[in-house]
Amino acid sequence: MPRSNNTVFRSFVFAVIVASILGLLVSATATILAPRIATNREIERKKHVLITTRYLEPNARTGRAAIAQLYAKHIDEQTLSVDGEERPFFVGVDDAGDLTAVCIPLAGAGLWGPILGYLALDASAQRILRITIYEHRETPGLGAEISSLRWTRKVSGKSIVDLSCLITSIRVKKG
């Protein structure tokens, strides 16, 4: 007895049902995990600000509670209005409440996408304390070196002002 053409229809219906169930599971998982993802991003942001302002070592294995506690103790979040837009920056303070660092977000264009990070200046705002790069899409082994400790340490201690106290740039040259 010949088979009917129902097998194509049944296969199609089966595929639609499986795709619908999997789509529902993915959507439910994303919805359920959204608050946790937001919390993880916030902890990661605080961690990078602490690393940049030198209140946390880059390779330190520190838990969420310790990061939150260090951040609350040493970092004061501020905003600055630039062209009507509020821009965040972070002020590092020691145990006595004295200014130790000013940390600003960095954003720039890389070869394959944006480069995001933080730059901390010392209390005089004349020398770079540290720079951290937390997001980029550069080629592994080449452009991705900008996020390595070896590269970021090269920038630490560099002056951002010239002899006449005018802001100058730091140039990164290939080779």
Side-chain angles (χ1 to χ4, degrees):
M1 181 155 61
R3 278 188 128 174
S4 81
N5 282 337
N6 272 347
T7 56
V8 173
F9 179 74
R10 285 181 182 177
S11 296
F12 178 76
V13 168
F14 178 77
V16 167
I17 291 171
V18 169
S20 298
I21 291 170
L22 293 176
L24 183 64
L25 286 173
V26 169
S27 296
T29 302
T31 303
I32 291 168
L33 292 179
R36 187 171 191 164
I37 291 169
T39 301
N40 288 343
R41 282 192 180 135
E42 183 65 15
I43 290 293
E44 192 68 18
R45 181 188 66 81
K46 289 178 178 182
K47 180 180 175 182
H48 280 285
V49 170
L50 287 167
I51 289 169
T52 308
T53 54
R54 292 193 172 179
Y55 286 106
L56 188 64
E57 285 303 311
N59 293 327
R61 298 264 183 206
T62 308
R64 294 168 178 251
I67 289 171
Q69 185 179 16
L70 273 173
Y71 191 87
K73 182 178 180 180
H74 292 292
I75 304 297
D76 184 20
E77 294 184 15
Q78 302 285 326
T79 57
L80 179 67
S81 182
V82 178
D83 297 329
E85 184 181 332
E86 294 293 315
R87 305 254 175 115
F89 71 97
F90 310 92
V91 177
V93 293
D94 61 15
D95 292 334
D98 296 329
L99 175 74
T100 60
V102 176
C103 179
I104 58 174
L106 292 177
L111 183 61
W112 301 110
I115 297 173
L116 303 174
Y118 291 103
L119 171 80
L121 301 173
D122 65 6
S124 69
Q126 293 185 356
R127 293 204 173 277
I128 296 174
L129 281 179
R130 187 175 278 161
I131 185 172
T132 59
I133 306 296
Y134 65 87
E135 184 177 323
H136 64 81
R137 293 187 185 109
E138 300 306 296
T139 308
L142 296 172
E145 284 298 305
I146 61 169
S147 61
S148 73
L149 283 176
R150 187 173 50 88
W151 190 88
T152 58
R153 285 188 176 138
K154 290 179 183 180
V155 181
S156 297
K158 300 281 185 188
S159 178
I160 64 162
V161 295
D162 61 15
L163 295 175
S164 57
C165 291
L166 295 174
I167 295 177
T168 185
S169 64
I170 296 192
R171 298 189 198 296
V172 178
K173 291 179 13 180
K174 186 177 178 180

